[in-house]
Structure formats: structure tokens, C-alpha cells
Amino acid sequence: MSEDTRTAVLTPTGRLNMVAAPALKSLIEESVADGRDRVVVDFSEVVFIDSSGLGALIAGLKCTRQSGGDLRIANVPEQVVAVLRLTNLDRVLRAHPTVAAASHEW
């Protein structure tokens, strides 16, 4: 499988909260099940994230890594960066400036 077919770019919109988080988690799991275990979550359309959204990202990270891939985040707004820093998740989910930067060298 080539690198391009192993990579999925997911772009959630609006608020990544307890309403939207399960759908993101499912999309990540479906991507991995389809053989796309390198997932980039593009946050360019996200305005808010809460603990449910963080949980979906961590579950997605675990899912991708168990399949030999990875989960990366890109175009992360300052509100999301602040939440990642407050929870120390910025150490696990490093924010990349663009989708291309996040998927570089896979």
C-alpha cells in the first residue's frame, strides 16, 4: 500500500464536543479499518474542543498506533492549542502548521 493510500485527512467542523466527538472517533476507526492508519486531523474549521473531543483524539491516536500508523493534528487554532497545553497533551499531539507538514516524512 502506498503512502498516499495509507493517509486519511479528516476535517471536523465547529465544536468538537460530546456531540461531535463520537463521530470523529468513528471516522478515525473506519479509516484504520480501511487501511488508512496515518490520520491527519485538520482543525482549520474547529472553533472549540472539550474533554470529549480530547478523548476522541486520544482514542484515535491509540487506534492508529496499534495498527502501525499515527495520528497528527494540523491547522490548530489557539483555543485548541491552549487546551492541549493545559492538559499536557501537547506532548503527545504536537500541532503542525499545515496538513502537508503533519503528513511529511511518513
Side-chain angles (χ1 to χ4, degrees), residues 27-106:
L27 282 173
I28 295 168
E29 291 169 350
E30 289 170 18
S31 294
V32 171
D34 289 342
R36 295 175 293 148
D37 58 2
R38 296 173 176 169
V39 176
V40 178
V41 180
D42 180 356
F43 274 84
S44 60
E45 301 294 321
V46 173
V47 297
F48 175 83
I49 190 168
D50 68 5
S51 60
S52 299
L54 294 175
L57 289 175
I58 297 304
L61 181 66
K62 181 179 177 183
C63 180
T64 57
R65 287 188 176 170
Q66 285 177 337
S67 294
D70 199 9
L71 182 139
R72 298 179 181 175
I73 56 177
N75 297 316
V76 184
E78 190 54 42
Q79 188 275 336
V80 175
V81 170
V83 171
L84 291 171
R85 284 185 189 135
L86 284 171
T87 58
N88 287 322
L89 289 175
D90 60 329
R91 296 176 184 182
V92 179
L93 291 169
R94 190 169 60 86
H96 297 271
T98 64
V99 170
S103 57
H104 184 66
E105 295 184 14
W106 254 342

